[in-house]
Amino acid sequence: MDKYVVAAAAELRAAQARAQLTDTALAERSGIPTVTLRRYLKGTRDTPVSALFKIADALGISPGRLLDDAAKNLD
């Protein structure tokens, strides 16, 4: 998988853990189907910008912070 997708997925998982939200709870808050959200979290599907905004909002953080933190983990 693309290293950018992997980095974004890792940061989404980390942010989800910090927020102490299950996949189901995050899916409900973001309005994204659970199956789709899990694909984003696993890095098996690229996360569209619109979904990134919804997930960030559900996590209470800015999309920019998610991307900045993901960029720090690129090799």
Side-chain angles (χ1 to χ4, degrees):
M1 184 51 76
D2 181 277
K3 70 178 183 178
Y4 301 106
V5 174
V6 172
E11 186 50 39
L12 287 174
R13 290 191 307 273
Q16 177 189 21
R18 287 190 297 271
Q20 299 180 332
L21 292 174
T22 64
D23 292 354
T24 303
L26 182 55
E28 288 174 2
R29 285 186 181 195
S30 64
I32 296 170
T34 304
V35 171
T36 303
L37 177 68
R38 286 183 177 144
R39 290 179 182 145
Y40 299 152
L41 295 172
K42 290 179 184 177
T44 58
R45 182 171 175 187
D46 196 5
T47 308
V49 173
S50 59
L52 183 70
F53 272 80
K54 290 175 184 179
I55 295 167
D57 185 55
L59 293 169
I61 58 177
S62 73
R65 178 177 169 199
L66 277 174
L67 293 174
D68 285 344
D69 290 346
K72 292 175 187 173
N73 296 319
L74 289 172
D75 295 328

